[in-house]
Amino acid sequence: MTDQYLDAAVAEAIAGRDEGGIPIGAVLVVDGTIVGRGHNQRVQLGSPTLHGETAALENAGRLPASVYRRSVMYTTLSPCDMCSGAILLYEIPKVVIGENRTFMGNEEYLRQRGVEVEVADDGRCVDLMNTFIADHPDLWNEDIGV
């Protein structure tokens, strides 16, 4: 059984890949409705900060703190330090991660700070990243700060 919200995050990742970027997508869900969606646009826009999660937050627009506190972030890849920081800053209580095999972000820190972290271990997400990393190792290393 697939998850419609993770499906939407995967669709964002595919859109990013198809634009020539890094295939990481995310959606922000509030009360069962996607309020923001985005994908990594570091390559496309030359942005140092538009990762999947931050793009989803940007596209959700300005929301009251109470809305973030009842939201769920769905992301295709384990969140990096920057994206984990954004999750903590806005007190997003739950993160659903497509996969953490190709990259392990700051999941333990999120858990320590009270965020519920669920890892779906979705094969589509693993395949997207494995293919991208094999085909574009320099871009991948740049994205993760190596």
Side-chain angles (χ1 to χ4, degrees):
M1 184 174 154
T2 64
D3 180 308
Q4 66 179 328
Y5 307 118
L6 188 55
D7 291 348
V10 170
E12 285 293 326
I14 291 168
R17 177 202 64 196
D18 291 350
E19 293 169 0
I22 298 161
I24 303 168
V27 296
L28 183 67
V29 177
V30 178
D31 301 332
T33 299
I34 295 174
V35 298
R37 58 179 66 230
H39 52 272
N40 186 303
Q41 295 180 54
R42 292 187 73 245
V43 173
Q44 300 92 311
L45 299 179
S47 170
T49 58
L50 277 180
H51 285 196
E53 300 90 337
T54 56
L57 287 166
E58 175 71 20
N59 291 325
R62 187 173 163 198
L63 300 170
S66 61
V67 173
Y68 293 115
R69 290 182 190 131
R70 63 177 200 271
S71 67
V72 179
M73 178 68 77
Y74 287 78
T75 179
T76 58
L77 187 64
S78 186
C80 71
D81 289 343
M82 178 178 66
C83 294
S84 294
I87 289 162
L88 292 172
L89 176 67
Y90 292 105
E91 299 182 24
I92 296 170
K94 182 175 180 179
V95 178
V96 177
I97 298 167
E99 70 101 350
N100 61 6
R101 290 191 226 170
T102 60
F103 177 78
M104 174 60 75
N106 219 335
E107 295 174 28
E108 190 54 39
Y109 185 60
L110 289 170
R111 286 184 184 100
Q112 289 171 356
R113 297 284 302 271
V115 177
E116 180 184 349
V117 176
E118 178 183 320
V119 180
D121 197 29
D122 187 283
R124 299 169 298 172
C125 299
V126 175
D127 290 344
L128 274 167
M129 288 311 302
N130 277 332
T131 300
F132 178 80
I133 292 167
D135 292 347
H136 306 283
D138 291 342
L139 275 179
W140 173 241
N141 286 333
E142 176 188 323
D143 195 61
I144 61 172
V146 174

